[in-house]
Amino acid sequence: MMVALSSRTETIQSGHALDHRNSRRDPNKANKSAAKRMTLADRDRLVRKVEDTFVAIPKPECTKRVARALDDEWFPSRERVEELRSLDEEEDWKEVGPDDIRDFSDVLFWISPDGFRFYFPAFLRHSIMNWDGSHDRVQLECMEVIGSQPSVLDSLSPREAATLAEILTELSVDPCGSHYDCDQSIRALERHAAKAESGRGGRIAP
C-alpha cells in the first residue's frame, strides 16, 4: 500500500500550507450578499443533494488517520499506513460521525484526492446540518480548503464537482457564509467540472 507524498512535500516547500493556516479575509466579503438566512428546509435540501450525489464511494487508501500522519509524521512507513488505516473502520462516508469530523477537521488539506472524495461529503453534510452561526473549523475547511489545495479535486466526477460548486455558492450567499472566503474554492470546482466534462482530465462518471 502506497500513499503519494510528493504533492504534500511540494505544498510545504511552496509555503501554501502556511498561507492556508493564516489566510486573510476579504474586507468586502461581509457585504457580498443581503440574502436571507438559510432555513431548516434549505439545509435539509442541501443535505439530500450531498447524499444523492456521493453514492457508493469506495473507502480510500489514505484515510483520515493516514492523512493526519502525513501532516504529523511526514513520511509514515507502509506498516504505519496499514496500521492507521485499519483503525478507521468506516466503509461508507455516512458512517463518519460528528466526533471524528470535529477531531479530524484539519485533514482535508493533507488527504489524497480519493480520500477527499470519500470524506468531504461527510464534512460538508456536518457543516450544513450545523449551519447555525457557530463558524467552527469544520465549516472553515469545507468552504476554503479547495481553493488552497485544488489538487484534492482530481478524483471527482463532473457531476460531483458541479454539485459541490452549487452547494458552496448557496452557502456563501447566506449571512453565515460571509465569514468565509470560498470564491477560490467555487472557481476551482467549476473549472474541474468543465475540464472533466470535456474529457481532458478528472474521473468521468455519469
Side-chain angles (χ1 to χ4, degrees), residues 149-177:
Q149 189 78 321
S151 64
V152 296
L153 303 179
D154 287 352
S155 288
L156 295 188
S157 73
R159 176 172 178 256
E160 291 163 352
T163 297
L164 292 183
E166 292 172 5
I167 292 174
L168 292 193
T169 297
E170 189 162 345
L171 293 176
S172 73
V173 299
D174 180 82
C176 290

Side-chain angles (χ1 to χ4, degrees), residues 24 30 34 49:
R24 295 183 180 274
K49 183 175 286 191

Side-chain angles (χ1 to χ4, degrees), residues 4 14 41-42 98 102 110 115 129 131 158:
S14 65
D42 293 328
R102 286 189 292 266
W110 305 102
M129 293 172 66
W131 194 259

Side-chain angles (χ1 to χ4, degrees), residues 29-72:
K29 183 71 174 178
N31 298 321
K32 182 176 181 179
S33 175
K36 66 179 181 179
R37 185 173 296 278
M38 188 173 296
T39 65
L40 286 175
D42 293 328
R43 287 154 60 178
D44 288 343
R45 172 177 51 80
L46 293 182
V47 166
R48 288 195 301 273
K49 183 175 286 191
V50 174
E51 294 174 342
D52 291 345
T53 300
F54 291 87
V55 178
I57 308 300
K59 181 178 179 178
E61 299 293 333
C62 184
T63 59
K64 62 184 188 292
R65 283 182 170 82
V66 175
R68 172 68 58 74
L70 293 178
D71 185 11
D72 293 346

Side-chain angles (χ1 to χ4, degrees), residues 64-82:
K64 62 184 188 292
R65 283 182 170 82
V66 175
R68 172 68 58 74
L70 293 178
D71 185 11
D72 293 346
E73 303 173 25
W74 284 45
F75 301 106
S77 66
R78 171 181 292 187
E79 291 75 18
R80 177 64 169 155
V81 168
E82 292 176 348

Side-chain angles (χ1 to χ4, degrees), residues 3 15 18 26 31 54 58-59 77 91-92 96 107 113-114 116 120-121 131 135 142 154 167 176 182 204 206:
V3 176
L18 183 61
D26 182 346
N31 298 321
F54 291 87
K59 181 178 179 178
S77 66
E91 296 293 333
D92 186 298
V96 183
V107 302
D114 285 344
F116 183 87
F120 190 76
W131 194 259
H135 314 310
C142 283
D154 287 352
I167 292 174
C176 290
C182 64
I204 306 304

Side-chain angles (χ1 to χ4, degrees), residues 132-147:
D132 55 3
S134 60
H135 314 310
D136 62 13
R137 176 63 176 271
V138 179
Q139 291 173 346
L140 172 66
E141 295 291 329
C142 283
M143 298 295 280
E144 299 190 7
V145 71
I146 295 169

